[in-house]
Structures are given as structure tokens and as C-alpha cells.
Amino acid sequence: MMEKPSLQDYLDDMHAIGVTRLFQPHLSTRDRAAGIRRVRQELGRARTELTLHRDSLGAEDHGLGAEEARRRAAPFHLLLLLHEQLVDEVSDLERSLSTGKPLPYSFDFGRFIFGDEETGEWFVGSQEQHDEWLHIQQFKRRLDALRLKGQPAREQLNRFRSELEALAAKHEKAQARIESRQKRSFVLRRIGLLVILTAASGTVGYYYWNSNRDFSLVAIGLAVACAVLIPIVIGNWKSPRTRSARNQRRLEARIVELKQEGLQYRQSYQPLELQIKALEVHYSRMMDTWESARLIKNRLDSFIEEGQPLRERVESIRGELQELRGQRDKLQRRLERRQARGAFARRMILHVMLVLASGAVGFYFQYTGEQDYASIMYGLGAFCILLVPLAYIDWKNRDYKLESNLRKTETRILQLQTEGKQVMKRYHPIELQIKTLIAQYKRTRAGITNTNETPAVA
């Protein structure tokens, strides 16, 4: 079974097609036209091979997740983007030849395709960019090794932090209980409860002293016990050596101990942490400096976000205008039909015909002796005669209503058109900037750069 071409093989094939050679100034018009036909055929073949290879990967990755399949297909999408840009360059060259304009500037594109399979980031660049990417990856591997080395320390510090947060919450609750216990209202409530129990028990014991001596003694004993508890409650309230205070002191001691342990552990981990942070900042700067396409993409996203409300308003205005234009056309057709020559006369002729028909039928019934039916038909004829002025009034009122609706619709259309022009005046520069940045992003992402050769006149 033949081994499938690699990504670099596809890129080398695109270079071998010779798109950039078509832009050389010394080529004749005939040779350039023949070269364009050949290049288009070769680019079509290359796209077919790339697409088939990508689709075969999709069939093989059927059991994988969507994210993994996207990462594996990312380099093929990049090569297809490069293919799209090459086709656009050839189309621009053809337009220049057909219109007699100067040839576009010649260009070049990267000789190497490289990237990270784990993240799905792929690039097309020169030898220097390829070497720089390898240097960045070595730097990243060093950073990943330091992160892996510091992972146990970070986990231990996180455990210390979690335990400290739990103890701090527990300490706060205990402190709230202690502060609540130290308030005067705390002891007064308990003393008041004991006084009430003493008085109630003594009263019950005195009441049952003659009738139920045993029950009376129990009640009196309870009163004595409650009275004895009053000074104990007062002494316990004033004493700082309570169980809550002991638990609080143990919590505070544990918190201090954990802080000391965490401080010692952090002091031992801090040099490694500082080294990791410094490397992360340096790696981020290296990527920002090197990956210019991402910077263009950030600018593009900001312009798209700025223009999104204006674009939505333009779309809503277009939709409303389309609906109003349909209503206006419908109203105009109805008004034209009603105001057409002979339209009202036909309506009146219809009423007159109804009157004549009713009179003729009534006369027939009268002639045959059917007086009841004749009266009905004569009445129908009289009703049709009365409808003539009413029909005229209704005709005029209907015309006025249609004209009023038509004027309102045209006024609304004019308002929307005015608003649309104002919105487009604000959105048009943003739209042009977005289109420019999209084209720039695609060229940069595909690794295409302009050369310094001056175009010739076609």
C-alpha cells in the first residue's frame, strides 16, 4: 500500500506548480497566459488531492472526539487556505492582463509547514521562521518541564490554602459564638429563665405540700437546684476558661501552625514559581512577536464587534424596507385598479343592471299574478337604486383610505432610507476595514509575503 504524502510534500508540490513565476516581469504575454492555464490545472489537482486526504482523515477519526478531529485536520485546512490565496493571486493576474493594467506585485510564500499537533496550531513560513518556531518549542518544553516539576508543590500549597480557608471559616463562626456569649443579654436571658423556673417550682411545691407531699418535695428540690444554678451561670459567664474558648485557642494555634508550614513550603517553592512566571511572560512575548496573524485577528475581532450593532440595524432596515415596498406595491396596484378609466362606471352599470333585472322579474311576477313575489322584486330593485349613492360615497372614502395608507407607507420608507444612509455612513468605513483585515489575515495566515520586485506594464 502506497504511503500518503506528508504535509511538507503537499507544500513542496504547491511551490513546484510555479505560481510565483507567473509574476516575473520578463515573461511575454503569450507565455504568461499559457502558464496561467497550466497553473490552474495543477492547482485544481492539488486541491483534489488535499481534499481527499483530509476527508480520509475524517473517516479514520470517526471514533475520535470533535476537538481531536479538528486538531488533526488543522494543517490541511491551512494548506487549503494557502491554495485559496494562490487561486486569488492568479485571478488578480488574469484581470490585470485582460484590462491592460500593470501586473500585481510578485509574491512568495513559506517553504515549510510546521506546528503543534497537541494544540492544532500550524503555520507556513520561511526557513528562519521554522528555526525560530523550533526554538520557541524548545523553550515551551522547558517551561512545561518546570511546570511539571512544580506541580506537587502547587498541589501542596493549594491543600494548605484550602485547609486554612476551612479553619478560618470555623474560627470565624466560633468567634461569633464567643462574642455572642460575652454579651450581657446572654447571661440575663439564662438567669431570667432560672428565676422563672425557681419561682414556678417553689409555687407548685408550696401548693401541693398538704395534698401530695412527694410531688411537692420534687418541685421544691427543682426550685432549689435552679436557684443554685444562678451563681454558677454567673461565674461561668465571667470565667474565660470555657470550652468554646479552649476550642478557639486550639483553632488559632492550628492556623498559626499551618501558616508557618505554608510559609516555609512557599519559600522553598518561590524560586521555582518565579522562574516559571518569568518563562511564561517571555514565552507569551515570543508568541505575540512571532505570530503576527493572531494580532491581525485580534484587530479584526475588535472591528467586527464594533460593527455588529450597526450591521444588525442595517439588516433590520433592509428587511423592513423590503416588507414596506411590498405593501406599497400592493396598495398602488389596488389604487390604480380603482382609479382606472371606466372602473367606477362598470360598478355603476352593475347596480343599474341589478335594478333593471329586479324590475323585469317583478313585472313578470305581476303579469303572472304572483303579487307577493312581484312586491319582493320591486323592493329589491328600489334597494339597489338606493345603493347607488352609497356606493359612490364608499368608493370615494375607500380611495381616500388607500391614498392615506400609501402616503404613510411611503413616508416610513423615506424615513428608513434616511436612517439607513446614516447608519451605512458610519458602518461603511468599518466594513471596508473588516474586508481589508480579512484579506490581510488570510495572506498572513497562509504565509504569503510580497517581494520587492517592481511589476511590469502588461
Side-chain angles (χ1 to χ4, degrees), residues 6-17 50 79 82 86 109-114 123-125 446:
S6 65
L7 297 171
Q8 188 61 46
D9 291 336
Y10 285 120
L11 183 59
D12 294 339
D13 184 29
M14 289 187 185
H15 276 283
I17 291 173
L50 265 174
L79 289 175
L82 173 59
L86 294 177
F109 56 98
R111 298 279 173 176
F112 295 91
I113 180 168
F114 47 89
F123 309 94
V124 173

Side-chain angles (χ1 to χ4, degrees), residues 26 35-36 55 89 112 115 128 141 196 202 233 235 261 297 309 347 352-353 376 389 405 407 409:
H26 60 79
I36 289 174
D55 294 343
E89 294 290 342
F112 295 91
E128 293 78 9
R141 285 192 291 271
I196 293 172
V233 168
E261 291 180 7
K297 182 66 165 56
R347 176 75 57 95
V352 172
M353 293 296 293
I376 293 174
N405 292 336
R407 285 194 298 269
T409 303

Side-chain angles (χ1 to χ4, degrees), residues 136-158:
I136 292 175
Q137 293 306 300
Q138 290 177 358
F139 192 89
K140 183 175 182 296
R141 285 192 291 271
R142 179 186 171 193
L143 179 60
D144 292 340
L146 287 177
R147 287 172 177 167
L148 184 61
K149 181 180 178 181
Q151 183 67 24
R154 284 195 300 272
E155 292 177 354
Q156 183 63 32
L157 285 174
N158 289 332

Side-chain angles (χ1 to χ4, degrees), residues 153-252:
R154 284 195 300 272
E155 292 177 354
Q156 183 63 32
L157 285 174
N158 289 332
R159 284 195 292 270
F160 280 142
R161 190 177 295 108
S162 299
E163 189 173 355
L164 270 175
E165 290 176 356
L167 288 176
K170 192 175 180 181
H171 178 272
E172 185 178 354
K173 291 181 180 179
Q175 186 66 30
R177 288 197 299 269
I178 291 175
E179 291 176 356
S180 175
R181 188 180 183 280
Q182 290 175 349
K183 293 180 180 179
R184 187 178 298 274
S185 59
F186 176 85
V187 68
L188 289 178
R189 284 196 301 271
R190 281 155 179 77
I191 291 174
L193 179 62
L194 290 173
V195 169
I196 293 172
L197 288 175
T198 300
S201 301
T203 303
V204 171
Y206 177 78
Y207 181 79
Y208 287 101
W209 178 260
N210 296 323
S211 60
N212 193 343
R213 185 63 59 87
D214 294 336
F215 180 73
S216 177
L217 290 175
V218 171
I220 292 173
L222 179 60
V224 172
C226 291
V228 172
L229 284 177
I230 292 175
I232 295 176
V233 168
I234 296 174
N236 187 39
W237 175 66
K238 292 184 176 181
S239 174
R241 298 180 179 180
T242 60
R243 184 174 60 182
S244 299
R246 289 194 299 270
N247 292 336
Q248 187 75 338
R249 287 192 291 271
R250 281 197 295 269
L251 280 175
E252 292 174 351

